[in-house]
Coordinates of all heavy atoms in Angstrom, one line a residue:
L272 N -46.9 -8.4 18.7 CA -48.4 -8.3 19.0 C -48.7 -7.0 19.6 O -47.9 -6.3 20.2 CB -48.8 -9.5 19.9 CG -48.4 -10.9 19.5 CD1 -49.1 -11.9 20.4 CD2 -48.8 -11.2 18.1
P273 N -50.0 -6.6 19.5 CA -50.4 -5.2 20.0 C -50.0 -5.0 21.5 O -50.1 -6.0 22.3 CB -51.9 -5.2 19.8 CG -52.3 -6.4 19.1 CD -51.1 -7.3 18.9
G274 N -49.6 -3.8 21.8 CA -49.3 -3.5 23.2 C -48.1 -4.2 23.9 O -48.0 -4.2 25.1
G275 N -47.3 -4.8 23.0 CA -46.1 -5.5 23.6 C -46.5 -6.8 24.3 O -45.7 -7.2 25.2
Y276 N -47.6 -7.4 23.9 CA -48.0 -8.7 24.5 C -47.4 -9.9 23.7 O -47.0 -9.7 22.5 CB -49.5 -8.8 24.6 CG -50.0 -8.1 25.8 CD1 -50.3 -6.7 25.8 CD2 -50.2 -8.8 27.0 CE1 -50.7 -6.0 26.9 CE2 -50.6 -8.1 28.1 CZ -50.9 -6.7 28.1 OH -51.3 -6.1 29.2
Q277 N -47.3 -11.0 24.3 CA -46.9 -12.2 23.7 C -47.6 -13.4 24.3 O -48.2 -13.3 25.4 CB -45.3 -12.4 23.9 CG -44.5 -11.8 22.9 CD -44.7 -12.3 21.5 OE1 -45.3 -13.4 21.3 NE2 -44.2 -11.6 20.5
W278 N -47.5 -14.5 23.6 CA -48.1 -15.8 24.1 C -47.0 -16.7 24.7 O -45.9 -16.8 24.0 CB -48.9 -16.5 23.0 CG -50.2 -15.8 22.7 CD1 -50.4 -14.8 21.8 CD2 -51.4 -16.0 23.4 NE1 -51.7 -14.4 21.9 CE2 -52.4 -15.2 22.8 CE3 -51.8 -16.9 24.4 CZ2 -53.7 -15.2 23.3 CZ3 -53.2 -16.9 24.8 CH2 -54.1 -16.0 24.3
F279 N -47.3 -17.4 25.8 CA -46.3 -18.2 26.5 C -46.9 -19.6 26.8 O -48.1 -19.7 27.1 CB -45.8 -17.5 27.8 CG -45.2 -16.2 27.6 CD1 -45.9 -15.0 27.6 CD2 -43.8 -16.1 27.3 CE1 -45.3 -13.8 27.4 CE2 -43.2 -14.9 27.2 CZ -44.0 -13.7 27.2
Y280 N -46.0 -20.6 26.8 CA -46.4 -21.9 27.3 C -45.4 -22.3 28.4 O -44.3 -21.8 28.4 CB -46.5 -23.0 26.2 CG -45.2 -23.2 25.5 CD1 -44.4 -24.3 25.8 CD2 -44.8 -22.4 24.4 CE1 -43.2 -24.5 25.1 CE2 -43.6 -22.6 23.7 CZ -42.8 -23.7 24.1 OH -41.6 -23.9 23.4
E281 N -45.9 -23.2 29.3 CA -45.2 -23.5 30.5 C -44.1 -24.5 30.2 O -44.3 -25.5 29.5 CB -46.2 -24.1 31.4 CG -45.7 -24.3 32.8 CD -46.9 -24.8 33.7 OE1 -47.7 -25.6 33.2 OE2 -47.0 -24.4 34.9
G282 N -42.9 -24.2 30.8 CA -41.8 -25.2 30.8 C -41.7 -25.7 32.2 O -42.5 -25.6 33.1
R283 N -40.5 -26.4 32.5 CA -40.3 -27.0 33.8 C -40.2 -26.0 34.9 O -40.7 -26.2 36.0 CB -39.1 -27.9 33.8 CG -39.4 -29.4 33.6 CD -38.2 -30.2 33.5 NE -37.3 -29.7 32.4 CZ -36.2 -30.4 32.0 NH1 -35.8 -31.4 32.7 NH2 -35.5 -29.9 31.0
N284 N -39.5 -24.9 34.6 CA -39.4 -23.9 35.7 C -39.4 -22.5 35.1 O -38.5 -21.7 35.3 CB -38.0 -24.1 36.4 CG -36.9 -24.4 35.5 OD1 -37.1 -24.2 34.2 ND2 -35.8 -24.8 36.0
G285 N -40.4 -22.3 34.3 CA -40.5 -21.0 33.7 C -41.4 -21.0 32.4 O -42.0 -22.1 32.1
W286 N -41.4 -19.9 31.7 CA -42.3 -19.8 30.5 C -41.4 -19.7 29.3 O -40.4 -19.0 29.2 CB -43.1 -18.6 30.7 CG -44.1 -18.7 31.8 CD1 -43.9 -18.3 33.1 CD2 -45.4 -19.2 31.8 NE1 -45.0 -18.6 33.9 CE2 -45.9 -19.1 33.1 CE3 -46.2 -19.8 30.8 CZ2 -47.2 -19.6 33.4 CZ3 -47.5 -20.3 31.1 CH2 -48.0 -20.2 32.4
W287 N -41.9 -20.3 28.2 CA -41.4 -20.2 26.9 C -42.3 -19.4 26.0 O -43.5 -19.6 26.1 CB -41.3 -21.6 26.2 CG -40.3 -22.5 26.8 CD1 -40.5 -23.5 27.7 CD2 -38.9 -22.6 26.5 NE1 -39.3 -24.2 28.0 CE2 -38.3 -23.7 27.3 CE3 -38.0 -21.9 25.7 CZ2 -37.0 -24.0 27.2 CZ3 -36.7 -22.2 25.6 CH2 -36.2 -23.3 26.4
Q288 N -41.7 -18.5 25.2 CA -42.5 -17.7 24.3 C -42.8 -18.6 23.1 O -42.0 -19.3 22.6 CB -41.8 -16.5 23.9 CG -42.6 -15.4 23.2 CD -41.7 -14.2 22.9 OE1 -41.3 -13.5 23.9 NE2 -41.5 -13.9 21.7
Y289 N -44.1 -18.5 22.6 CA -44.4 -19.2 21.3 C -43.6 -18.6 20.2 O -43.3 -17.4 20.2 CB -45.9 -19.1 21.0 CG -46.8 -20.1 21.7 CD1 -47.3 -19.8 23.0 CD2 -47.1 -21.3 21.1 CE1 -48.1 -20.7 23.7 CE2 -48.0 -22.2 21.8 CZ -48.4 -21.9 23.1 OH -49.3 -22.8 23.7
D290 N -43.4 -19.4 19.1 CA -42.8 -18.9 17.9 C -43.7 -17.9 17.3 O -44.9 -17.9 17.5 CB -42.4 -20.0 16.9 CG -43.7 -20.7 16.3 OD1 -44.2 -20.1 15.3 OD2 -44.2 -21.6 16.9
E291 N -43.1 -17.0 16.5 CA -43.8 -15.9 15.8 C -45.1 -16.3 15.1 O -46.1 -15.8 15.3 CB -42.8 -15.3 14.9 CG -43.3 -14.0 14.1 CD -43.1 -12.8 15.0 OE1 -42.5 -12.8 16.1 OE2 -43.6 -11.7 14.5
R292 N -44.9 -17.4 14.3 CA -46.1 -17.8 13.5 C -47.2 -18.3 14.3 O -48.4 -17.8 14.2 CB -45.7 -18.9 12.5 CG -46.8 -19.5 11.6 CD -46.3 -20.6 10.7 NE -45.7 -21.7 11.5 CZ -46.5 -22.7 12.1 NH1 -47.8 -22.6 12.0 NH2 -45.9 -23.6 12.8
T293 N -46.9 -19.1 15.3 CA -48.0 -19.7 16.2 C -48.6 -18.6 17.0 O -49.8 -18.6 17.2 CB -47.4 -20.8 17.1 OG1 -46.7 -21.7 16.2 CG2 -48.5 -21.5 17.9
S294 N -47.8 -17.6 17.5 CA -48.3 -16.6 18.4 C -49.3 -15.7 17.6 O -50.3 -15.3 18.1 CB -47.3 -15.8 19.1 OG -46.5 -15.1 18.1
H295 N -49.0 -15.5 16.3 CA -50.0 -14.8 15.5 C -51.3 -15.6 15.3 O -52.4 -15.0 15.2 CB -49.4 -14.3 14.2 CG -48.5 -13.1 14.3 ND1 -47.2 -13.1 14.4 CD2 -48.9 -11.8 14.4 CE1 -46.7 -11.8 14.6 NE2 -47.8 -11.0 14.6
E296 N -51.2 -16.9 15.1 CA -52.4 -17.7 15.0 C -53.2 -17.6 16.3 O -54.4 -17.5 16.3 CB -52.0 -19.2 14.7 CG -51.4 -19.4 13.3 CD -51.1 -20.9 13.1 OE1 -51.5 -21.8 13.9 OE2 -50.3 -21.1 12.1
L297 N -52.5 -17.7 17.4 CA -53.2 -17.7 18.7 C -53.9 -16.3 18.9 O -55.0 -16.2 19.3 CB -52.2 -17.9 19.9 CG -51.5 -19.2 20.0 CD1 -50.8 -19.4 21.3 CD2 -52.5 -20.4 19.8
E298 N -53.2 -15.2 18.6 CA -53.7 -13.9 18.7 C -54.9 -13.7 17.8 O -55.9 -13.1 18.3 CB -52.6 -12.9 18.4 CG -53.0 -11.4 18.7 CD -53.1 -11.1 20.2 OE1 -52.7 -12.0 21.0 OE2 -53.5 -10.0 20.5
A299 N -54.9 -14.2 16.6 CA -56.0 -14.0 15.7 C -57.2 -14.8 16.2 O -58.4 -14.3 16.3 CB -55.7 -14.5 14.3
A300 N -57.0 -16.0 16.7 CA -58.1 -16.8 17.2 C -58.7 -16.2 18.5 O -59.9 -16.1 18.6 CB -57.7 -18.3 17.5
Y301 N -57.8 -15.9 19.4 CA -58.2 -15.3 20.7 C -59.0 -14.0 20.5 O -60.0 -13.7 21.0 CB -57.0 -15.1 21.6 CG -57.2 -14.5 22.9 CD1 -57.7 -15.3 24.0 CD2 -56.9 -13.2 23.2 CE1 -57.9 -14.8 25.2 CE2 -57.1 -12.6 24.5 CZ -57.6 -13.4 25.5 OH -57.8 -12.9 26.7
G302 N -58.4 -13.1 19.6 CA -58.9 -11.8 19.3 C -60.3 -11.9 18.6 O -61.1 -10.9 18.7
S303 N -60.6 -13.0 17.9 CA -61.9 -13.1 17.3 C -62.9 -13.8 18.1 O -64.0 -14.1 17.7 CB -61.7 -13.8 15.9 OG -61.4 -15.1 16.1
G304 N -62.5 -14.1 19.4 CA -63.4 -14.6 20.3 C -63.6 -16.1 20.3 O -64.5 -16.7 21.0
Q305 N -62.8 -16.8 19.6 CA -62.8 -18.3 19.6 C -62.5 -18.8 21.0 O -61.6 -18.2 21.6 CB -61.8 -18.9 18.6 CG -62.2 -18.8 17.1 CD -61.1 -19.3 16.2 OE1 -60.8 -18.7 15.2 NE2 -60.6 -20.5 16.5
R306 N -63.1 -19.9 21.3 CA -62.8 -20.5 22.6 C -61.6 -21.5 22.6 O -61.1 -21.8 23.6 CB -64.1 -21.2 23.2 CG -65.2 -20.2 23.4 CD -66.4 -20.9 23.8 NE -66.3 -21.5 25.1 CZ -67.2 -22.3 25.7 NH1 -68.4 -22.5 25.1 NH2 -67.0 -22.8 26.9
A307 N -61.3 -21.9 21.4 CA -60.2 -22.8 21.2 C -59.7 -22.7 19.8 O -60.4 -22.2 18.9 CB -60.6 -24.2 21.5
C308 N -58.5 -23.2 19.5 CA -58.0 -23.4 18.2 C -57.0 -24.5 18.2 O -56.6 -25.0 19.2 CB -57.4 -22.0 17.7 SG -55.8 -21.6 18.4
E309 N -56.6 -24.8 16.9 CA -55.6 -25.9 16.8 C -54.4 -25.4 16.1 O -54.5 -24.7 15.1 CB -56.3 -27.0 15.9 CG -56.0 -28.4 16.3 CD -56.9 -29.3 15.5 OE1 -56.6 -29.7 14.3 OE2 -58.0 -29.7 16.0
V310 N -53.2 -25.8 16.6 CA -52.0 -25.4 16.0 C -51.1 -26.6 15.8 O -51.2 -27.6 16.5 CB -51.3 -24.3 16.8 CG1 -52.1 -23.0 16.9 CG2 -50.9 -24.8 18.2
L311 N -50.2 -26.4 14.8 CA -49.2 -27.5 14.6 C -47.8 -26.9 15.0 O -47.4 -25.9 14.5 CB -49.2 -27.8 13.1 CG -48.2 -28.9 12.6 CD1 -48.5 -30.2 13.2 CD2 -48.2 -28.9 11.1
V312 N -47.3 -27.5 16.0 CA -45.9 -27.1 16.5 C -45.0 -28.3 16.6 O -45.4 -29.2 17.3 CB -45.9 -26.3 17.8 CG1 -45.7 -24.8 17.5 CG2 -47.1 -26.5 18.6
A313 N -43.8 -28.2 16.1 CA -42.8 -29.2 16.2 C -43.3 -30.6 15.9 O -43.0 -31.5 16.6 CB -42.2 -29.2 17.7
G314 N -44.2 -30.6 14.8 CA -44.7 -31.9 14.4 C -45.9 -32.5 15.1 O -46.4 -33.5 14.7
F315 N -46.4 -31.8 16.1 CA -47.5 -32.2 16.8 C -48.7 -31.2 16.7 O -48.5 -30.0 16.6 CB -47.3 -32.4 18.3 CG -46.3 -33.5 18.7 CD1 -45.0 -33.2 19.2 CD2 -46.6 -34.8 18.5 CE1 -44.1 -34.2 19.5 CE2 -45.7 -35.8 18.9 CZ -44.5 -35.5 19.4
L316 N -49.9 -31.8 16.6 CA -51.1 -31.0 16.7 C -51.5 -30.7 18.1 O -51.6 -31.7 18.9 CB -52.3 -31.6 15.9 CG -52.3 -31.5 14.4 CD1 -53.4 -32.4 13.8 CD2 -52.6 -30.0 14.0
Y317 N -51.7 -29.5 18.4 CA -52.2 -29.1 19.8 C -53.5 -28.4 19.8 O -53.7 -27.6 18.8 CB -51.1 -28.2 20.5 CG -49.8 -28.9 20.8 CD1 -48.7 -28.8 19.9 CD2 -49.7 -29.7 22.0 CE1 -47.5 -29.5 20.2 CE2 -48.5 -30.3 22.3 CZ -47.4 -30.2 21.4 OH -46.2 -30.9 21.7
I318 N -54.3 -28.6 20.7 CA -55.5 -27.8 21.0 C -55.1 -26.7 22.0 O -54.6 -27.0 23.0 CB -56.6 -28.7 21.5 CG1 -57.0 -29.7 20.4 CG2 -57.8 -27.8 21.9 CD1 -58.0 -30.7 20.8
I319 N -55.5 -25.5 21.6 CA -55.3 -24.4 22.5 C -56.7 -24.0 23.1 O -57.5 -23.7 22.3 CB -54.7 -23.2 21.8 CG1 -53.4 -23.5 21.1 CG2 -54.5 -22.0 22.8 CD1 -52.2 -24.0 21.9
D320 N -56.8 -24.2 24.4 CA -58.1 -24.0 25.0 C -58.1 -22.7 25.8 O -57.4 -22.6 26.8 CB -58.4 -25.2 26.0 CG -59.7 -25.1 26.7 OD1 -60.2 -23.9 26.9 OD2 -60.3 -26.1 27.1
F321 N -58.7 -21.7 25.2 CA -58.7 -20.3 25.8 C -59.5 -20.2 27.0 O -59.3 -19.3 27.8 CB -59.1 -19.3 24.8 CG -58.1 -19.2 23.6 CD1 -58.6 -19.4 22.3 CD2 -56.8 -18.8 23.7 CE1 -57.8 -19.3 21.2 CE2 -56.0 -18.7 22.6 CZ -56.4 -19.0 21.4
D322 N -60.5 -21.1 27.2 CA -61.3 -21.0 28.5 C -60.4 -21.5 29.6 O -60.4 -20.8 30.7 CB -62.5 -22.0 28.4 CG -63.6 -21.4 27.4 OD1 -63.6 -20.2 27.2 OD2 -64.3 -22.2 26.9
R323 N -59.7 -22.6 29.4 CA -58.9 -23.1 30.5 C -57.5 -22.6 30.5 O -56.7 -22.8 31.4 CB -58.9 -24.6 30.5 CG -60.2 -25.2 30.8 CD -60.2 -26.7 30.6 NE -61.5 -27.3 31.0 CZ -62.6 -27.2 30.2 NH1 -62.5 -26.7 29.0 NH2 -63.7 -27.7 30.6
M324 N -57.1 -21.9 29.4 CA -55.8 -21.4 29.1 C -54.7 -22.5 29.3 O -53.8 -22.5 30.1 CB -55.4 -20.2 30.0 CG -56.2 -19.0 29.7 SD -55.8 -18.4 28.0 CE -54.5 -17.2 28.3
V325 N -55.0 -23.6 28.5 CA -54.0 -24.7 28.4 C -53.8 -25.1 26.9 O -54.7 -24.8 26.1 CB -54.5 -25.9 29.2 CG1 -54.4 -25.6 30.7 CG2 -55.8 -26.4 28.8
Q326 N -52.7 -25.7 26.7 CA -52.3 -26.3 25.5 C -52.4 -27.9 25.7 O -51.7 -28.3 26.7 CB -50.9 -25.9 25.0 CG -50.3 -26.7 24.0 CD -48.8 -26.4 23.8 OE1 -48.5 -25.3 23.4 NE2 -47.9 -27.4 24.0
L327 N -53.1 -28.6 24.9 CA -53.2 -30.1 25.0 C -52.8 -30.7 23.7 O -53.2 -30.2 22.6 CB -54.6 -30.5 25.3 CG -55.4 -29.7 26.4 CD1 -56.9 -29.9 26.2 CD2 -55.0 -30.3 27.7
R328 N -52.0 -31.8 23.8 CA -51.6 -32.5 22.5 C -52.9 -33.2 22.1 O -53.6 -33.9 22.8 CB -50.5 -33.5 22.8 CG -49.6 -33.6 21.5 CD -48.8 -34.8 21.7 NE -47.5 -34.6 22.3 CZ -46.6 -35.5 22.4 NH1 -46.8 -36.7 21.9 NH2 -45.5 -35.2 23.0
R329 N -53.2 -33.0 20.8 CA -54.5 -33.5 20.3 C -54.7 -35.0 20.5 O -55.7 -35.5 20.9 CB -54.8 -33.1 18.9 CG -56.3 -33.2 18.5 CD -56.6 -32.7 17.1 NE -56.1 -33.6 16.1 CZ -56.5 -33.7 14.9 NH1 -57.3 -32.8 14.4 NH2 -56.0 -34.5 14.0
N330 N -53.6 -35.8 20.2 CA -53.7 -37.2 20.2 C -53.3 -37.8 21.6 O -53.2 -39.0 21.8 CB -52.9 -37.9 19.1 CG -51.4 -37.7 19.3 OD1 -51.0 -37.2 20.3 ND2 -50.6 -38.2 18.4
D331 N -53.1 -36.9 22.6 CA -52.7 -37.3 23.9 C -52.9 -36.2 24.9 O -51.9 -35.5 25.3 CB -51.3 -37.8 24.0 CG -50.9 -38.3 25.4 OD1 -51.7 -38.2 26.3 OD2 -49.7 -38.8 25.6
P332 N -54.2 -35.9 25.2 CA -54.5 -34.7 26.0 C -53.9 -34.7 27.4 O -53.9 -33.7 28.1 CB -56.0 -34.7 26.1 CG -56.5 -35.6 25.0 CD -55.4 -36.6 24.9
S333 N -53.3 -35.8 27.8 CA -52.5 -35.8 29.1 C -51.3 -34.9 29.0 O -50.7 -34.5 30.0 CB -52.2 -37.2 29.6 OG -51.2 -37.7 28.7
R334 N -50.8 -34.7 27.8 CA -49.7 -33.8 27.5 C -50.3 -32.3 27.6 O -50.8 -31.8 26.5 CB -49.1 -34.0 26.2 CG -48.6 -35.4 26.0 CD -47.3 -35.6 26.6 NE -46.7 -36.8 26.3 CZ -45.3 -37.0 26.3 NH1 -44.5 -36.1 26.7 NH2 -44.9 -38.2 26.0
R335 N -50.3 -31.8 28.7 CA -51.0 -30.5 29.0 C -50.0 -29.5 29.5 O -49.2 -29.8 30.4 CB -52.1 -30.9 30.0 CG -52.9 -29.7 30.5 CD -53.6 -30.2 31.8 NE -54.4 -29.2 32.4 CZ -55.7 -29.1 32.2 NH1 -56.3 -30.0 31.4 NH2 -56.4 -28.1 32.7
R336 N -50.1 -28.3 29.0 CA -49.3 -27.2 29.6 C -50.2 -26.0 29.8 O -51.0 -25.7 29.0 CB -48.2 -26.8 28.6 CG -47.1 -27.9 28.4 CD -46.2 -27.5 27.2 NE -45.3 -28.6 26.8 CZ -44.1 -28.7 27.4 NH1 -43.6 -27.8 28.2 NH2 -43.4 -29.7 27.0
R337 N -49.9 -25.2 30.8 CA -50.6 -24.0 31.0 C -50.0 -23.0 29.9 O -48.9 -23.1 29.4 CB -50.3 -23.4 32.4 CG -51.0 -24.2 33.5 CD -51.0 -23.4 34.8 NE -49.7 -23.2 35.3 CZ -49.3 -22.2 36.1 NH1 -50.2 -21.3 36.5 NH2 -48.1 -22.1 36.5
I338 N -50.9 -22.0 29.5 CA -50.4 -21.0 28.6 C -50.8 -19.6 29.2 O -51.7 -19.6 30.1 CB -51.0 -21.1 27.2 CG1 -52.6 -21.0 27.2 CG2 -50.7 -22.4 26.6 CD1 -53.2 -20.8 25.9
K339 N -50.2 -18.6 28.7 CA -50.7 -17.3 29.1 C -50.4 -16.2 28.1 O -49.4 -16.4 27.3 CB -50.1 -16.8 30.5 CG -48.6 -16.7 30.5 CD -48.2 -16.1 31.9 CE -46.7 -16.0 32.0 NZ -46.3 -15.3 33.3
R340 N -51.1 -15.2 28.1 CA -50.8 -14.0 27.2 C -50.3 -12.9 28.2 O -51.1 -12.5 29.1 CB -52.1 -13.5 26.5 CG -52.0 -12.4 25.6 CD -53.3 -12.0 25.0 NE -53.2 -11.1 23.9 CZ -53.3 -9.8 24.1 NH1 -53.4 -9.2 25.3 NH2 -53.2 -9.0 23.0
D341 N -49.1 -12.5 28.0 CA -48.5 -11.6 29.0 C -47.6 -10.6 28.3 O -47.3 -10.8 27.1 CB -47.8 -12.4 30.1 CG -47.7 -11.7 31.4 OD1 -47.8 -10.4 31.5 OD2 -47.3 -12.3 32.4
L342 N -47.1 -9.6 29.0 CA -46.1 -8.7 28.4 C -44.9 -9.4 27.9 O -44.4 -10.3 28.6 CB -45.8 -7.6 29.4 CG -46.9 -6.7 29.7 CD1 -46.5 -5.7 30.9 CD2 -47.3 -5.8 28.5
S343 N -44.3 -9.0 26.8 CA -43.2 -9.7 26.3 C -41.9 -9.5 27.2 O -40.9 -10.2 27.0 CB -42.9 -9.2 24.8 OG -42.6 -7.9 24.9
S344 N -42.0 -8.5 28.1 CA -40.9 -8.2 29.0 C -40.8 -9.1 30.2 O -39.8 -9.0 30.9 CB -41.0 -6.8 29.4 OG -42.2 -6.5 30.0
I345 N -41.7 -10.0 30.4 CA -41.6 -10.9 31.6 C -40.4 -11.8 31.4 O -39.9 -12.1 30.3 CB -42.9 -11.8 31.8 CG1 -43.1 -12.8 30.6 CG2 -44.1 -10.9 32.0 CD1 -43.9 -14.0 30.9
P346 N -39.9 -12.3 32.6 CA -38.8 -13.3 32.5 C -39.2 -14.5 31.7 O -40.3 -15.0 31.9 CB -38.5 -13.7 34.0 CG -39.2 -12.7 34.8 CD -40.3 -12.1 34.0
K347 N -38.4 -15.0 30.8 CA -38.8 -16.2 30.0 C -37.5 -17.0 29.8 O -36.4 -16.5 29.9 CB -39.4 -15.8 28.7 CG -38.5 -15.0 27.8 CD -39.3 -14.4 26.6 CE -38.7 -13.1 26.2 NZ -39.7 -12.1 25.7
K348 N -37.7 -18.3 29.5 CA -36.6 -19.2 29.2 C -36.1 -19.0 27.8 O -34.9 -19.3 27.6 CB -37.1 -20.7 29.4 CG -37.6 -21.0 30.8 CD -37.8 -22.5 30.9 CE -36.5 -23.2 31.1 NZ -36.7 -24.6 31.5
G349 N -36.9 -18.6 26.9 CA -36.5 -18.5 25.5 C -37.7 -18.5 24.6 O -38.8 -18.3 25.1
V350 N -37.5 -18.8 23.3 CA -38.6 -18.8 22.4 C -38.6 -20.2 21.7 O -37.7 -20.7 21.1 CB -38.3 -17.7 21.3 CG1 -39.5 -17.8 20.3 CG2 -38.2 -16.4 21.9
A351 N -39.8 -20.9 21.9 CA -40.0 -22.2 21.3 C -38.9 -23.2 21.4 O -38.5 -23.8 20.5 CB -40.4 -21.9 19.8
G352 N -38.3 -23.2 22.6 CA -37.3 -24.2 22.9 C -35.9 -23.7 22.7 O -34.9 -24.4 23.0
I353 N -35.7 -22.5 22.1 CA -34.4 -21.9 21.9 C -34.1 -21.1 23.1 O -34.8 -20.0 23.3 CB -34.3 -21.0 20.6 CG1 -34.9 -21.7 19.4 CG2 -32.9 -20.6 20.4 CD1 -34.1 -22.9 18.9
K354 N -33.1 -21.5 23.9 CA -32.9 -20.8 25.2 C -32.3 -19.4 24.9 O -31.5 -19.2 24.0 CB -31.9 -21.6 26.0 CG -32.5 -22.7 26.7 CD -31.7 -23.2 27.9 CE -32.4 -24.3 28.7 NZ -31.5 -25.6 28.7
L355 N -32.7 -18.5 25.8 CA -32.1 -17.1 25.7 C -30.6 -17.3 26.2 O -30.4 -18.1 27.1 CB -32.8 -16.2 26.7 CG -34.2 -15.6 26.1 CD1 -34.8 -14.8 27.2 CD2 -33.9 -14.8 24.9
P356 N -29.7 -16.4 25.7 CA -28.3 -16.5 26.2 C -28.2 -16.1 27.7 O -29.1 -15.4 28.2 CB -27.6 -15.5 25.3 CG -28.6 -14.6 24.6 CD -29.9 -15.4 24.6
Ligands
V3L174 N1 -43.8 -24.7 20.9 C1 -42.6 -25.4 20.7 N2 -42.4 -26.6 21.2 C2 -43.3 -27.1 22.0 C3 -44.6 -26.5 22.2 C4 -44.8 -25.2 21.7 N3 -45.9 -24.6 21.9 N4 -45.3 -27.3 23.0 C5 -44.6 -28.4 23.2 N5 -43.4 -28.3 22.6 P1 -45.6 -32.0 25.0 P2 -38.2 -27.3 29.8 C6 -40.6 -27.8 25.4 C7 -42.3 -29.3 22.6 O1 -46.2 -30.8 25.7 O2 -36.7 -27.6 30.1 C8 -39.7 -26.6 25.3 O3 -39.9 -25.8 24.2 C9 -41.7 -29.4 24.0 O4 -40.6 -28.5 24.1 O5 -45.3 -33.2 25.9 O6 -39.1 -28.4 30.4 C10 -38.3 -27.1 25.4 O7 -37.8 -27.3 24.1 C11 -41.3 -30.9 24.1 O8 -39.9 -31.0 23.7 O9 -46.3 -32.4 23.8 O10 -38.6 -25.9 30.2 C12 -38.5 -28.5 26.1 O11 -40.0 -28.7 26.3 C13 -42.2 -31.6 23.1 O12 -42.8 -30.6 22.2 C14 -37.9 -28.5 27.5 O13 -38.3 -27.4 28.2 C15 -43.3 -32.4 23.7 O14 -44.1 -31.5 24.5

C-alpha cells in the first residue's frame, strides 16, 4: 500500500496484518471516502466501520475487533493468522 502503510486487526495481545487481497479492498474503500465496507474473510462476512475503526461480524456484531491503518513496520503477530517466525 502507498507510503508503506498496512491494515491491521486486533488479536489477543497484538495486531494482525490483513491478508493482501482484503487490505487492498479496505484501502480502496477507505481511499474513496466510504464510511464502511463489507469483506469476506475466512468464511465470514465482516463489516468494516471506518468511522469507529472496527471490524464486526455481519451476522453477530458482538464479534468486534479494533482495526487500524498503520506503518507496515510496526510490531505485529503475523498476517491473517499466520504467525511470524
Ligand atoms: N482476517 C483473518 N482472520 C480473521 C479476521 C481477519 N480480518 N477476522 C477474524 N478472523 P471473530 P490471537 C484471529 C478469524 O472476530 O491469538 C487471528 O487471525 C480470527 O482469527 O470472532 O487471539 C488468529 O488466527 C478467528 O479465528 O469473527 O491473537 C486467531 O484469531 C475467527 O476468524 C487467534 O489470534 C473468528 O474471529
